[in-house]
Amino acid sequence: MSETPETHSPRTTTASRPPGRDARPAGGNRPWLRTGWMMTASGWSANQFSALLGAYRSELGLSESTVTGLFAVYVVGLVPGLLLGGPLADRRGRRPVALTALAVNLLSSCLLMAGSAATGLLLPGRFLTGISAGALLAAGSAWVKELSCPPYAPDAAAGTAARRAGLFVSAGFASGGLVAALIAQWLPHPMATAYLPHVVLSAVAWVVAYGAPETGRRADRTRSGAGAGAPAHAAAPDWRRFRRAVLPLAPWVFAAPAVGFATLPGLVDGGLAGWSTVYAGIATAVVPGSGLLVQPLARRLAARHRPAGGAAGLGVITAGLGLAVPAAAGARPGLALVAAALLGAGYGLALSFGLTEAAAAAPPERLAMVTSLFWTAAYLGMLTPYALALLSRWWSMPVLLAAGAVLAALTCGALAALHRTAEADRTPA
């Protein structure tokens, strides 16, 4: 995970300069842990539905295009949630935005549960899941990062703050899909009961996070006469760094896992004989689980060379898409899981690099907004399964996956070229 930007950029080390009256050293209380469970709930809500795609086809008789459309509706809601939630959290504070978003996230699972009896509720349920998850990612990521820095976490290691939110989200991704799939396979009324764990997790996470301190510095702005808006002389984000280091990579962050847990299982489930739902749940756990496992490697890569995490992530994604080609062509579930694991490892490397680069480009007063822009660009990649389903009318899926591998490799080369250009710009003549 790319940690060097935090050590090289003076702005990120001040991202949690002493806020207002809410500031209190964390000591052994770990306030970041109180808010981290919110991020896990957000990741859980996204992936629990992904693991049930096959069950919705078989249990409720929904068509392939309907199920894929419901998958994409999440992203349609998530983008405005991110774009509105980030600036709102910078103006009004992390706490009220994140807690409200988590409450709506819980409500969305209740609607999806009711959707087992009234399928018309699935669409608003998925849309609200996206809206709430987007606002929660924007506000919650900034909240977790700031609570992971002094004065709340005096002994925090360099790089820990920016990557911590991504780790909690990945834990939710890994757990939510697997648990939902196991429930759907063996418990009664699966299309309703599969959502119960998220309802419980969200309720508990809300109660736990309620006591966490605010970090948005709103009290300081009010006392200084700046009102609830951003400070009049707030520093501008480093947009050049954001464009060069973050934007080229961001869509691949979730394009890779989306292919791994939403596209590949449907291409190889012909020989699974009634185990397709469990297989899909395993895939949804393998992808983000691999992303978690590569974090020690990501830290070592970043310590040696800052852009290495991004380049390695795209390289592994290229390999995963390349391996998905024979897996899809031969309908080989085992090979597809290996490809999914590679795609997940690439996701983990790319996500950590993107979060740390976004944090390095953001001044403290704009942290949630810049983070929300990164998440927005990243989540556009979740539309990949829908795009593949549309394009499969003209080209076979192995051909499309091979084209994706080529695009990932080209993006890796472009990212390296942009880094060399940035280095040349910084070199004095």
Side-chain angles (χ1 to χ4, degrees):
M1 188 164 306
S2 180
E3 299 171 0
T4 346
E6 291 200 77
T7 59
H8 288 291
S9 173
R11 286 194 290 198
T12 56
T13 59
T14 60
S16 46
R17 288 184 297 225
R21 59 192 173 198
D22 288 325
R24 56 179 71 96
N29 294 329
R30 297 183 179 181
W32 54 266
L33 187 58
R34 299 175 70 92
T35 54
W37 294 111
M38 303 176 71
M39 309 304 293
T40 300
S42 175
W44 190 296
S45 71
N47 245 17
Q48 63 182 350
F49 186 87
S50 303
L52 300 174
L53 295 179
Y56 275 110
R57 290 190 292 264
S58 60
E59 297 285 336
L60 300 185
L62 300 183
S63 67
E64 180 68 34
S65 59
T66 299
V67 170
T68 306
L70 287 170
F71 181 84
V73 163
Y74 170 80
V75 183
V76 174
L78 184 120
V79 170
L82 283 165
L83 294 178
L84 294 174
L88 191 62
D90 283 332
R91 290 195 300 270
R92 302 293 181 182
R94 321 306 191 200
R95 194 168 177 272
V97 176
L99 290 175
T100 301
L102 183 58
V104 176
N105 199 242
L106 189 157
L107 172 64
S108 71
S109 278
C110 294
L111 288 176
L112 292 172
M113 289 176 66
S116 63
T119 54
L121 294 175
L122 293 175
L123 182 63
R126 282 293 286 169
F127 184 72
L128 284 180
T129 301
I131 288 265
S132 58
L136 187 53
L137 283 171
S141 294
W143 202 9
V144 171
K145 179 187 183 300
E146 290 166 345
L147 289 175
S148 299
C149 295
Y152 305 99
D155 301 324
T160 296
R163 77 169 188 265
R164 189 164 273 160
L167 295 176
F168 276 106
V169 171
S170 295
F173 284 148
S175 306
L178 180 60
V179 171
L182 294 177
I183 290 175
Q185 183 72 34
W186 284 298
L187 291 187
H189 310 293
M191 310 317 295
T193 53
Y195 294 102
L196 282 175
H198 177 256
V199 171
V200 174
L201 173 63
S202 299
V204 172
W206 196 97
V207 172
V208 171
Y210 185 81
E214 174 63 80
T215 61
R217 302 176 66 213
R218 183 185 180 193
D220 279 356
R221 294 197 295 268
T222 302
R223 285 196 296 271
S224 65
H233 302 290
D238 186 349
W239 292 122
R240 175 176 290 188
R241 183 173 192 167
F242 188 84
R243 288 192 301 268
R244 288 177 170 177
V246 178
L247 282 184
L249 170 134
W252 293 101
V253 170
F254 284 120
V259 170
F261 61 65
T263 299
L264 280 179
L267 299 177
V268 301
D269 64 357
L272 293 174
W275 292 89
S276 58
T277 299
V278 171
Y279 180 86
I282 293 172
T284 58
V286 164
V287 171
S290 299
L292 289 171
L293 290 175
V294 298
Q295 296 312 311
L297 172 62
R299 289 194 293 273
R300 288 195 292 271
L301 288 172
R304 294 177 182 176
H305 187 52
R306 181 179 61 78
L314 286 168
V316 176
I317 289 171
T318 300
L321 289 171
L323 193 61
V325 173
R332 300 164 64 183
L335 189 60
L337 277 183
V338 177
L342 286 174
L343 292 169
Y347 148 81
L349 293 166
L351 176 62
S352 58
F353 175 81
L355 280 172
T356 51
E357 284 293 311
E365 300 84 2
R366 297 287 186 266
L367 177 61
M369 184 269 287
V370 175
T371 302
S372 72
L373 291 178
F374 163 72
W375 284 116
T376 300
Y379 262 101
L380 290 176
M382 289 289 277
L383 293 171
T384 302
Y386 192 68
L388 291 174
L390 292 176
L391 293 173
S392 64
R393 299 175 183 177
W394 298 281
W395 296 282
S396 69
M397 198 61 75
V399 169
L400 293 173
L401 291 171
V406 172
L407 285 175
L410 291 174
T411 306
C412 185
L415 192 68
L418 288 170
H419 172 70
R420 286 194 297 269
T421 302
E423 289 295 317
D425 290 344
R426 285 193 290 267
T427 302

